[in-house]
Structure formats: structure tokens, C-alpha cells
């Protein structure tokens, strides 16, 4: 008899392949509270790798709200919302989200990822068509796969292709759903929302927009890209997270009262999971109050974004289409610098880290091309931004002569 081969041996060789391709990833521990400067494995670094755009994740008011809610309601929600895990605090948060988004209602999930999985899967099925931007977040892509609908990906931001796909395919399907990030998380540009909405309305399609990186950041009241592009009040489905600018954990869907009522009955990633913890719920509720009451945080964030972008262009000559390093077009606090290979981006990241600058080196398969992904925060000081430019100049001179 042949010796039985180890059924897990393939994992080691798969890891080796990942390693050889410079795709290997591992975690690094941050100490202390989050902020513009953090301790990374014991060393202070200026943080350009966080989604905490407004600096709220370490804000004392959120911390105190989480402590107070934990003391009053305990640590866990103890059950799914439909069984024993529902608190009035959850409804308060949902009402606050709906007010911010100017929608009839909202529903809070345990994460933005789960909000996308549950919502897309509830809205589309085998007889339906999903049109999706090729650069959408993984949670939108996996939600679409889970639904069993026919999926057509369109070229990033290309409204003409969406139009053609709708003309050619819409009538062969029962329902149609268009999926898009509003701020693209690995590029920093915006979707053509008004045009997509026009197309969706003209062809009887639903439109779901993921505002994960826009909520708290874009729009006069921080409601997101929908507000920024003048689309508040139009029929669409808005997804978002409580874990980025809102500094907490959890996700949400905002839309019509019927949509939300339907999701409470059909979104399995909401029905069959434990309700959000009291601490996360209370922190998010406090964050929503702060983003509405302190617009100066957004003003400061955008000042920092404009300063840094201009310095990258003026002082380092980074523009679109240049080699060896190209600044990707962005209209958000996410600035990406594309480089030639995963190896190069890793070296750049390491060199910056040695100079006390923490940025993420993003590689395939997360993105098609390797890039440094820089996220700007409202709590960065001018000196932080200047240090970044100095460090990047030196890294580029050493690595890309
Ligand atoms: C981060 C992100 C999510 C996931 O949100 P979580 O609350 O972290 O699960 C979903 N969509 C987009 C576009 C994101 O950037």
C-alpha cells in the first residue's frame, strides 16, 4: 500500500509560493491608544496607515461612552438582535445614522463586511444581475458571489460600459443591482455617483454604494460622498462602517424603511449573529454626534490632505503617469503612490519605517499593482507631514536612484 500523504502538506508549499512572490503578510503590534503618532513594536512612528481619519478612535469621549455603556449593559449583547441581544441603544444608534444619512431608517451590523454580505445576498438571487466596479472592496465582491446572481464587472469608474451592459443585458434578468465603493479604498478616487444614479433610475436598477471611507470625511455634515455629490434623498442603498472615521466597530445599511424592515427579516449575516456590543454601540453613537458638532475636524483633515498632495507634486515631482513612482488620482484622504513591484514597495515601506514613518505597502492580490497607501488624519500636525516628505525623499533617493 502507498504511504498516505499528509493532507495538510500543501499548506506549507502554498506559503512558500506566497513568500517567494513577496506577497507574504504578517501582523505588527501597536501599543497604546491610536493616534497620529503611535508606538509600533516599541518605537514611536508617525502614523499614515490608519483609517481613523478624524482621530476619534483614541478620543476620551468615545472611551468614556464605551465605559459607561459597559457598566450599564455589560460587555456582551448575549444574543442575536431578534432573540435577546437587542437594546434601545442599538435603535438610538440606528436613528442617529438615519438622521446623518437623511434616510428613513438604518440597520447596524457587526461589521461593514457583514453588512455588505448580508445586504447583497438578501437583495439579489439566481435570476438577477449584478453590475460591479472592478475595484470594489472584497466584501462587495464576496456578497455578490454569495448571492448566486450573474456578476458582470465593469472597468473602474467607466459609466459608458455600465450603460452598454444595461442596454444589452438588463432585460434578461428579474432584478438588477449596481455595486460600487464611493471612495475606492485602495485608490482614493470617487465613483461617478450622480451618473450611476441616473442610469439606475432610467433602467429600473437598484444601486448600492459603500461609504466606508467617506462617512465622517466627505460632505458638509460628514454624511459621505452621497452628500458631497448632491445625491442626498435619492433612492439608493448606503452601506458603511463604524470602524473608520467613526473610530468604533460595526457596520450599517441606511435606506428606506421598507428596505430596512426587509433586511431585518432576510439578511442572514444580521439575523444569525450576536448584536453589536454595548461599548461599540455607545462609542459609535458618540462619534456621530462629534462629526456633526465639530466640522473643524473635517476642515483640518482636508487642509492636511491638500498640503501633503501639493508637497508630493511640488517637492518630489510625483504626478500621475510618472515612473518609477506615480501618484494615483485621488479626491480623498487616501493617497496612493504606485511603484513597479511588490519587492520595491516593501523596501520603500521598510525604509520609511526606519525613519519613523508608518505607511502601508499594499500588494497583489489586494490590488492589481503595488503601491504605498498613505492615509491622512485630521490630527496630523504640519511637522508630521513635513517629516513624511523628508523621509520619502530620502527613501526614494536611496532605493530608486
Ligand atoms: C473597510 C471596508 C469595509 C469593511 O468594513 P469593516 O467594518 O471593517 O468590516 C467595507 N467596505 C469598504 C469599501 C471598506 O473599505
Amino acid at each position: 500500500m502507498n504511504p498516505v500523504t499528509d493532507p495538510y502538506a500543501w499548506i506549507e508549499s502554498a506559503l512558500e509560493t506566497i513568500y517567494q512572490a513577496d506577497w507574504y503578510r504578517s501582523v505588527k503590534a501597536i501599543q497604546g491608544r491610536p493616534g497620529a503618532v503611535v508606538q509600533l513594536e516599541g518605537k514611536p512612528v508617525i502614523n499614515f496607515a490608519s483609517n481613523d481619519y478624524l482621530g476619534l478612535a483614541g478620543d476620551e469621549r468615545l472611551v468614556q461612552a464605551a465605559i459607561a455603556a459597559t457598566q450599564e449593559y455589560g460587555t456582551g449583547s448575549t444574543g442575536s438582535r431578534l432573540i435577546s441581544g437587542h437594546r434601545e441603544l442599538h435603535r438610538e444608534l440606528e436613528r442617529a445614522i438615519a438622521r446623518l444619512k437623511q434616510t428613513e431608517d438604518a440597520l447596524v451590523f457587526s461589521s461593514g463586511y457583514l453588512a455588505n454580505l448580508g445586504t447583497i445576498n438578501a437583495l439579489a438571487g439566481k435570476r438577477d444581475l449584478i453590475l460591479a466596479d472592478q475595484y470594489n472592496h472584497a466584501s462587495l465582491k464576496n456578497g455578490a458571489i454569495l448571492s448566486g446572481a450573474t456578476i458582470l464587472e465593469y472597468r473602474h469608474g467607466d459609466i459608458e460600459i455600465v450603460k452598454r451592459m444595461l442596454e444589452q443585458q438588463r432585460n434578461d434578468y428579474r432584478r438588477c443591482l449596481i455595486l460600487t465603493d464611493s471612495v475606492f479604498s485602495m485608490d482614493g478616487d470617487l465613483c461617478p455617483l450622480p451618473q450611476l444614479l441616473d442610469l439606475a433610475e432610467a433602467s429600473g436598477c437598484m444601486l448600492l454604494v459603500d461609504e466606508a471611507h467617506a462617512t465622517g470625511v466627505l460632505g458638509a455634515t460628514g454624511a459621505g460622498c452621497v452628500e458631497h455629490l448632491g445625491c442626498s434623498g435619492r433612492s439608493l442603498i448606503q452601506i458603511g462602517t463604524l470602524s473608520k472615521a467613526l473610530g468604533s466597530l460595526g457596520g450599517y445599511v441606511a435606506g428606506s424603511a421598507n428596505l430596512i424592515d426587509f433586511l431585518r427579516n432576510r439578511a442572514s449575516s444580521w439575523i444569525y449573529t450576536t448584536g453589536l456590543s454595548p461599548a461599540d454601540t455607545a462609542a459609535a453613537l458618540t462619534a456621530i454626534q462629534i462629526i456633526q458638532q465639530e466640522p473643524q475636524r473635517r476642515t483640518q483633515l482636508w487642509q492636511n490632505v491638500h498640503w501633503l498632495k501639493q508637497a508630493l507634486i511640488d517637492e518630489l515631482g510625483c504626478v500621475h503617469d510618472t515612473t518609477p513612482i506615480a501618484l494615483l488620482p485621488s479626491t480623498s484622504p487616501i493617497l496612493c503612490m504606485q511603484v513597479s513591484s511588490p519587492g520595491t514597495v516593501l523596501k520603500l515601506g521598510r525604509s520609511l519605517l526606519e525613519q519613523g514613518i508608518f505607511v502601508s505597502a499594499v500588494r497583489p492580490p489586494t490590488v492589481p499593482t503595488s503601491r504605498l497607501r498613505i492615509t491622512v488624519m485630521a490630527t496630523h500636525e504640519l511637522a508630521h507631514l513635513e517629516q513624511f516628505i523628508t523621509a520619502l525623499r530620502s527613501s526614494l533617493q536611496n532605493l530608486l536612484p
Side-chain angles (χ1 to χ4, degrees):
M1 206 172 89
N2 288 332
V4 177
T5 53
D6 175 0
Y8 304 100
W10 66 271
I11 295 174
E12 195 180 339
S13 50
L15 265 175
E16 184 55 30
T17 307
I18 294 170
Y19 203 76
Q20 290 297 333
D22 279 328
W23 285 17
Y24 184 75
R25 305 147 180 236
S26 58
V27 294
K28 288 195 243 24
I30 303 266
Q31 287 95 28
R33 279 198 197 178
V37 177
V38 291
Q39 295 278 328
L40 179 66
E41 300 188 320
K43 181 184 154 190
V45 290
I46 306 172
N47 188 2
F48 289 96
S50 166
N51 296 320
D52 182 22
Y53 298 109
L54 301 175
L56 292 180
D59 190 286
E60 188 58 26
R61 293 166 290 181
L62 271 71
V63 172
Q64 289 306 323
I67 291 171
T70 305
Q71 274 170 342
E72 188 165 358
Y73 305 112
T75 49
S77 284
T78 79
S80 68
R81 293 273 299 279
L82 288 173
I83 307 291
S84 61
H86 177 70
R87 297 283 194 168
E88 194 44 46
L89 195 59
H90 292 126
R91 270 317 274 163
E92 249 182 83
L93 175 58
E94 288 167 346
R95 280 194 286 265
I97 293 167
R99 270 197 305 277
L100 173 70
K101 299 281 176 177
Q102 299 182 46
T103 57
E104 287 175 359
D105 206 350
L107 187 64
V108 168
F109 286 69
S110 302
S111 75
Y113 200 112
L114 287 171
N116 275 324
L117 288 192
T119 303
I120 297 165
N121 188 35
L123 293 175
K126 284 193 182 65
R127 294 160 61 198
D128 304 321
L129 176 65
I130 288 180
L131 301 186
D133 190 288
Q134 68 176 144
Y135 288 174
N136 277 346
H137 188 262
S139 55
L140 292 170
K141 294 190 181 213
N142 287 328
I145 292 168
L146 192 63
S147 76
T150 300
I151 304 163
L152 297 177
E153 281 202 337
Y154 56 86
R155 200 171 66 161
H156 179 51
D158 195 331
I159 197 80
E160 288 308 315
I161 296 187
V162 180
K163 196 171 167 197
R164 205 171 327 130
M165 283 175 167
L166 285 170
E167 281 163 7
Q168 291 170 356
Q169 311 259 2
R170 172 67 189 94
N171 290 336
D172 296 341
Y173 295 89
R174 178 182 60 171
R175 295 195 280 264
C176 178
L177 172 64
I178 301 172
L179 302 179
T180 185
D181 286 16
S182 66
V183 172
F184 283 86
S185 55
M186 291 296 147
D187 299 79
D189 57 344
L190 309 186
C191 74
L193 186 62
Q195 294 89 328
L196 282 172
L197 262 169
D198 290 345
L199 273 183
E201 281 166 13
S203 51
C205 291
M206 301 177 282
L207 173 60
L208 180 152
V209 58
D210 183 340
E211 294 265 58
H213 290 277
T215 303
V217 169
L218 281 163
T221 69
C225 196
V226 172
E227 180 183 35
H228 175 66
L229 295 176
C231 299
S232 304
R234 294 180 72 172
S235 320
L236 82 169
I237 299 155
Q238 300 179 53
I239 303 272
T241 178
L242 307 174
S243 69
K244 287 173 178 148
L246 299 182
S248 181
L249 179 69
Y252 61 82
V253 182
S256 72
N258 277 338
L259 169 76
I260 299 305
D261 215 16
F262 174 75
L263 291 176
R264 274 192 292 259
N265 288 277
R266 280 285 183 275
S268 53
S269 70
W270 184 82
I271 297 170
Y272 301 106
T273 198
T274 303
L276 200 63
S277 79
D280 291 321
T281 311
L285 190 53
T286 303
I288 289 180
Q289 287 155 4
I290 294 173
I291 66 164
Q292 292 174 301
Q293 286 161 7
E294 299 179 3
Q296 64 272 24
R297 287 178 176 270
R298 252 181 321 281
T299 310
Q300 187 61 54
L301 172 65
W302 284 100
Q303 270 179 22
N304 290 350
V305 170
H306 293 136
W307 190 95
L308 194 65
K309 208 177 188 178
Q310 208 54 48
L312 287 170
I313 296 168
D314 293 346
E315 297 188 35
L316 300 182
C318 296
V319 282
H320 192 42
D321 286 339
T322 47
T323 48
I325 184 156
L327 183 62
L328 299 182
S330 157
T331 341
S332 74
I334 302 168
L335 302 177
C336 289
M337 311 190 52
Q338 185 171 282
V339 301
S340 58
S341 71
T344 310
V345 83
L346 281 181
K347 277 189 219 141
L348 262 178
R350 267 187 230 121
S351 160
L352 286 168
L353 196 55
E354 280 162 18
Q355 302 179 75
I357 304 288
F358 181 29
V359 292
S360 38
V362 193
R363 292 162 285 161
T366 305
V367 285
T369 52
S370 298
R371 63 201 67 179
L372 276 183
R373 178 175 180 273
I374 303 146
T375 50
V376 182
M377 297 174 67
T379 46
H380 280 136
E381 293 164 13
L382 184 57
H384 297 146
L385 306 179
E386 286 170 345
Q387 264 176 274
F388 173 79
I389 294 292
T390 306
L392 184 60
R393 183 186 290 117
S394 143
S395 296
L396 289 175
Q397 275 163 359
N398 290 336
L399 290 168
L400 310 167

